[in-house]
Amino acid sequence: MDQTAIYRIPYGLYYLGTTANGKSNICVVNTVSQVTDEPKRVSVTVLKTNFTCELMLQSGTFSVSILDADSTLADIAHFGQQSGRNVDKLAEKAISFDVLGNPVYKENCAAVMSVRVTQTVDLGTHVMFIGELADASVESDKTPMTYAAYRAKKAGVKVEAEQAAPATYQCKICHYVYDGEIPFEELPDDYVCPVCKKPKSFFVKM
Amino acid sequence: MDQTAIYRIPYGLYYLGTTANGKSNICVVNTVSQVTDEPKRVSVTVLKTNFTCELMLQSGTFSVSILDADSTLADIAHFGQQSGRNVDKLAEKAISFDVLGNPVYKENCAAVMSVRVTQTVDLGTHVMFIGELADASVESDKTPMTYAAYRAKKAGVKVEAEQAAPATYQCKICHYVYDGEIPFEELPDDYVCPVCKKPKSFFVKM
């Protein structure tokens, strides 16, 4: 059996937001799907160890932003590669709140949905949340980002970096690629990764 | 609320096959998703009135073929726009059977999965089937078909047809577009749609 067959399923990419007990968080997921049309319901599967999952089990609501193809790797790394348990990911971003009180990040976003959970399914490592639309808006007519396009974009950054001189450096924690005007080697010693705030020593030459 | 926001979720396109009580059927769906990685599980949502759904509730297994971008509109119409209750859709197609006895159509297929159902979720109009991979294979390295690419392909056929002379005809039942060498008007009166077998009178000028 070649289990990698499962990775050929095409996906989109989404910001998933929720608020519980005064804490709001947004993470990145790829498994959002419509499940019925009348009423309009969607499902999303979230890893149990994920902070957003913990909050969603308490809040019973969530927001989904459908990323468009112009979404930046820095934004995806910001919301997708750090945990809301350690970092307030919403602190320096333009966040709005939906009718259910869930945080929404609308930068490079094709559409937003606000969802009230009606069913949860225990899947061992993950919880599937199924819910009904409470609100929804189309934010742009741009092409939604697919997971394949996201990976191509990431690979493209690597290729460009390899071709470029001087050398490019990447944060090994959040994969943020430094692309400033000043050569990386000349940055001050107290430079920190703008995404995950790790010190300069966490950057590796690409 | 703009409910059309939900249609911006990107999807793939899949042939869904099953066998129960000596009857095999394949239909077309767009809502297949991986739900866990350990073990490898997928979900699929199927309309209750669908013949395949009826069979899947009895068989407890199904096959999924991930369509690649070269899949033809005729094949998609063949499996997607007729009911297995009225037509034996497998009769004139190169069908193989997986380890669980489910029919599989591998023409223009990126990967195949054989799935044993472990949970079902009643969603009113639909049933969600969640199951574990029993077998899987990668069939090609071609790009999987997205639902957006499928719609663009359909629209492209229409545009080409409009630009072409002589006039193009389409079956109003299954949307098969006649593209033979002989002008449609000159076809014999007993010509039938190669996909849904409806007579010549069911074709409309595009």
Side-chain angles (χ1 to χ4, degrees):
Chain A
M1 157 151 77
D2 180 356
Q3 295 197 327
T4 66
I6 205 170
Y7 303 129
R8 309 229 56 204
I9 298 173
Y11 294 103
L13 216 58
Y14 312 89
Y15 294 127
L16 180 67
T18 198
T19 301
N21 305 328
K23 289 209 172 183
S24 295
N25 196 42
I26 291 177
C27 69
V28 176
V29 293
N30 64 345
T31 56
V32 171
S33 182
Q34 179 175 355
V35 296
T36 59
D37 204 51
E38 291 177 5
K40 295 249 176 325
R41 276 182 290 198
V42 296
S43 67
V44 60
T45 305
V46 193
L47 198 65
K48 279 183 184 173
T49 53
N50 193 312
F51 186 48
T52 307
C53 184
E54 191 183 314
L55 296 180
M56 281 168 71
L57 286 168
Q58 297 172 59
S59 69
T61 72
F62 59 90
S63 67
V64 172
S65 306
I66 303 176
L67 273 69
D68 73 31
D70 291 338
S71 294
T72 67
L73 294 176
D75 271 351
I76 298 169
H78 177 83
F79 291 109
Q81 295 176 3
Q82 331 180 69
S83 170
R85 284 198 187 86
N86 313 321
V87 184
D88 179 1
K89 295 191 252 182
L90 315 186
E92 286 166 28
K93 295 286 183 183
I95 303 295
S96 55
F97 286 82
D98 70 7
V99 290
L100 302 174
N102 300 306
V104 180
Y105 185 59
K106 292 189 181 174
E107 200 69 30
N108 298 309
C109 163
V112 174
M113 296 177 280
S114 299
V115 184
R116 240 182 228 111
V117 176
T118 53
Q119 282 160 283
T120 59
V121 183
D122 189 337
L123 294 166
T125 54
H126 291 67
V127 177
M128 179 187 287
F129 295 86
I130 298 169
E132 204 168 317
L133 291 203
D135 198 14
S137 57
V138 173
E139 297 292 327
S140 86
D141 57 2
K142 285 196 278 184
T143 308
M145 173 83 99
T146 61
Y147 194 65
Y150 161 65
R151 283 183 302 193
K153 199 166 181 169
K154 259 178 97 165
V157 165
K158 280 185 195 156
V159 169
E160 277 173 32
E162 278 160 16
Q163 288 165 345
T168 309
Y169 285 78
Q170 185 179 36
C171 173
K172 65 185 176 189
I173 302 303
C174 72
H175 302 141
Y176 167 79
V177 177
Y178 174 75
D179 61 356
E181 287 297 306
I182 305 166
F184 185 82
E185 295 86 347
E186 295 168 26
L187 288 173
D189 288 342
D190 61 355
Y191 170 83
V192 295
C193 173
V195 175
C196 74
K197 315 299 177 197
K198 286 282 182 298
K200 198 178 167 186
S201 59
F202 280 74
F203 278 73
V204 289
K205 201 168 175 175
M206 288 169 73
Chain B
M1 156 150 81
D2 180 357
Q3 296 198 325
T4 66
I6 205 169
Y7 302 129
R8 309 229 56 203
I9 298 173
Y11 295 102
L13 215 57
Y14 312 89
Y15 294 127
L16 180 69
T18 198
T19 301
N21 306 328
K23 288 209 171 182
S24 293
N25 197 42
I26 290 176
C27 69
V28 177
V29 293
N30 64 345
T31 56
V32 172
S33 182
Q34 179 175 354
V35 295
T36 59
D37 203 52
E38 291 177 6
K40 294 250 175 326
R41 277 182 290 198
V42 296
S43 66
V44 59
T45 305
V46 194
L47 198 64
K48 279 184 184 173
T49 54
N50 193 311
F51 187 47
T52 307
C53 184
E54 189 183 315
L55 295 179
M56 281 169 71
L57 286 169
Q58 297 172 60
S59 69
T61 72
F62 59 89
S63 67
V64 172
S65 306
I66 303 175
L67 274 69
D68 74 31
D70 291 338
S71 294
T72 66
L73 294 176
D75 271 353
I76 298 169
H78 177 83
F79 290 109
Q81 295 177 1
Q82 330 180 70
S83 170
R85 285 199 185 85
N86 313 319
V87 183
D88 179 2
K89 294 191 251 182
L90 316 185
E92 285 166 28
K93 295 286 183 184
I95 303 295
S96 55
F97 286 83
D98 70 8
V99 290
L100 303 175
N102 300 306
V104 180
Y105 185 58
K106 291 189 182 174
E107 200 69 30
N108 300 308
C109 163
V112 174
M113 295 176 279
S114 299
V115 184
R116 240 182 229 111
V117 176
T118 53
Q119 282 160 283
T120 57
V121 183
D122 189 337
L123 294 166
T125 54
H126 292 68
V127 178
M128 178 186 288
F129 296 86
I130 298 169
E132 204 168 316
L133 292 202
D135 198 13
S137 57
V138 172
E139 298 292 327
S140 85
D141 56 2
K142 284 195 279 185
T143 307
M145 173 83 99
T146 59
Y147 195 64
Y150 160 66
R151 283 184 301 192
K153 199 166 181 168
K154 260 179 95 167
V157 164
K158 280 185 195 156
V159 169
E160 276 173 31
E162 278 160 15
Q163 287 166 346
T168 309
Y169 285 77
Q170 185 179 36
C171 173
K172 65 184 175 190
I173 303 303
C174 72
H175 302 141
Y176 167 79
V177 176
Y178 174 76
D179 60 356
E181 288 297 305
I182 305 165
F184 185 81
E185 294 85 347
E186 295 167 26
L187 287 173
D189 288 343
D190 61 355
Y191 170 83
V192 294
C193 172
V195 174
C196 73
K197 314 301 177 196
K198 285 285 181 297
K200 198 179 168 185
S201 58
F202 280 73
F203 278 74
V204 289
K205 200 169 176 175
M206 287 169 74

